[in-house]
Amino acid sequence: MALTSIYVISDTAAAFPELCAGAKQLAGSVTAIVFGDLAAAEAAAGCGADRILFCPVSDAGSPEDYAAAIAAEVKKDASAYVIVNNTILGRAIAGKVGVYLDAAVFSNVSELAEENGRLAFSRTVYGGAAARRIAFTTPYGVVTVGGGTFEMGAPLPATTQIAQIEGEPAAPLNRISRDEKRETAVNLTAARRIVDVGRGLAKEEDLEICRKLASVLDAEVGCSRPVAENNKWLPKNVYMGITGVQVKPDLLLAIGLSGQIQHIGGINKSRFIVAVNKDKSAPIFKSADFGLVGDLYKVLPLLIEKLS
Ligand SMILES: Cc1cc2nc3c(=O)[nH]c(=O)nc-3n(C[C@H](O)[C@H](O)[C@H](O)COP(=O)(O)OP(=O)(O)OC[C@H]3O[C@@H](n4cnc5c(N)ncnc54)[C@H](O)[C@@H]3O)c2cc1C
């Protein structure tokens, strides 16, 4: 038995195809909620949703302003679940929509399935040490889902049913200014190859050697949380793990990474993991398909030379 209806909300167009493909495997009807005008909705038409509703956010407004309108739309179905892209803005939207639906909200869930007509899912708990299986008991519920959670499957037909959402935005706040963040536009969830940098790197300048390796492999560069959060050597949107991005590339090279469970939670869906660590008892070797015990400063130049 499939769920009746799922609403897919995303603040980034790139996330729709995967989220809608996953939703389509779970529910009879999938509605994508796009923040933008008709042109933005039409651009998203290849996402595979049965219909698209667009919310024309004004320059001074925010996507969350449509939370009440979205909830009112969701409540037109006797039962429906909402899947939101797991970004900072996505989590804010999820919270507000959950309030208007009077429903529970869970962030960063995986392994979504229908169970007894309700949405069920897994969620990492105790800092990554365990996974908890949860099922809604209510007809409505909201979850956020990171990239790499669903399989894409075959391309779905383009959505022809496109309309503006009913209801007006309601803004309790005035935006005073907006400053663009200088972060690299890396989409790790879509990357086929990733060079994953850990704290084994001695200094920021040494990132260059990892970038060189990435360049010869045509890979993206990501990292562990301390490299982004503590050292601030790479932007926060490229650290992987249970609180970061979840990826599933064909190849991931873990360089100078210990392989703590919180990081593994973000990379364990990679098809092939190669680890380089100078400590032969580092836990990363338990998750790696191929392990190289050695100093990254000796191993990487050799790898680059061989692969160039
Ligand atoms: C609630 C919670 C959530 C967390 N969420 C995340 C998360 O989402 N993502 C995340 O990454 N972390 C997360 N963490 C942090 C996590 O527990 C680890 O501290 C972190 O992943 C360790 O990063 P690391 O492997 O880069 O560094 P370290 O653990 O310091 O490992 C560095 C490794 O480099 C090796 N090394 C050193 N020098 C060299 C060399 N020259 N050549 C080769 N190898 C070398 C060492 O042997 C060591 O194994 C979280 C922690 C908590 C408590």
Side-chain angles (χ1 to χ4, degrees):
M1 184 171 67
L3 300 169
T4 314
S5 174
I6 288 184
Y7 288 74
V8 172
I9 302 177
S10 174
D11 57 319
T12 57
F16 277 116
E18 185 194 326
L19 294 184
C20 290
K24 203 63 204 148
Q25 289 155 27
L26 295 166
S29 161
V30 173
T31 303
I33 305 279
V34 172
F35 299 106
D37 55 12
L38 176 61
E42 284 172 347
C47 70
D50 298 296
R51 63 177 183 143
I52 293 177
L53 296 176
F54 62 95
C55 306
V57 182
S58 70
D59 270 355
S62 289
E64 309 99 281
D65 302 343
Y66 279 91
I70 293 168
E73 190 63 43
V74 173
K75 284 215 159 166
K76 287 181 185 170
D77 290 307
S79 171
Y81 295 94
V82 181
I83 293 178
V84 190
N85 189 24
N86 186 47
T87 56
I88 293 171
L89 183 55
R91 290 193 290 269
I93 296 166
K96 277 191 91 170
V97 172
V99 168
Y100 285 110
L101 282 175
D102 196 15
V105 180
F106 290 91
S107 64
N108 215 4
V109 310
S110 61
E111 295 170 32
L112 291 84
E114 177 276 331
E115 279 178 29
N116 303 319
R118 305 288 196 228
L119 180 64
F121 51 87
S122 296
R123 192 159 187 269
T124 304
V125 289
Y126 305 126
R132 180 180 287 154
R133 190 86 188 139
I134 300 169
F136 285 111
T137 56
T138 51
Y140 302 104
V142 183
V143 293
T144 74
V145 173
T149 302
F150 296 119
E151 293 296 333
M152 287 289 288
L156 295 160
T159 314
T160 50
Q161 223 186 310
I162 298 179
Q164 183 166 338
I165 196 160
E166 286 173 15
E168 293 299 315
L173 304 167
N174 263 344
R175 178 186 296 141
I176 296 163
S177 70
R178 176 158 54 185
D179 303 312
E180 209 159 312
K181 228 174 163 183
R182 287 170 195 238
E183 286 203 341
T184 43
V186 175
N187 184 3
L188 285 185
T189 59
R192 300 307 344 142
R193 292 171 190 172
I194 296 175
V195 172
D196 183 1
V197 184
R199 225 167 12 182
L201 214 64
K203 49 188 193 306
E204 187 173 5
E205 298 82 271
D206 300 341
L207 273 174
E208 205 38 52
I209 189 172
C210 299
R211 291 200 175 101
K212 246 188 216 153
L213 177 63
S215 153
V216 297
L217 281 170
D218 196 16
E220 300 288 358
V221 176
C223 62
S224 65
R225 181 160 128 174
V227 170
E229 290 266 8
N230 305 10
N231 299 357
K232 301 190 173 24
W233 292 349
L234 285 167
K236 286 185 200 159
N237 62 350
V238 300
Y239 88 71
M240 292 163 271
I242 56 163
T243 53
V245 187
Q246 276 152 30
V247 299
K248 48 175 176 184
D250 294 330
L251 174 68
L252 183 136
L253 276 105
I255 309 293
L257 266 158
S258 58
Q260 298 306 316
I261 193 162
Q262 294 89 357
H263 188 78
I264 298 300
I267 64 167
N268 57 7
K269 287 189 182 150
S270 305
R271 195 162 288 170
F272 200 83
I273 297 179
V274 177
V276 180
N277 195 305
K278 66 178 184 185
D279 173 7
K280 70 174 181 346
S281 58
I284 188 68
F285 290 125
K286 288 194 187 123
S287 306
D289 299 282
F290 190 86
L292 251 164
V293 179
D295 185 333
L296 70 92
Y297 290 98
K298 289 186 184 145
V299 174
L300 262 53
L302 293 173
L303 268 180
I304 293 166
E305 195 189 311
K306 280 271 177 216
L307 294 165
S308 294

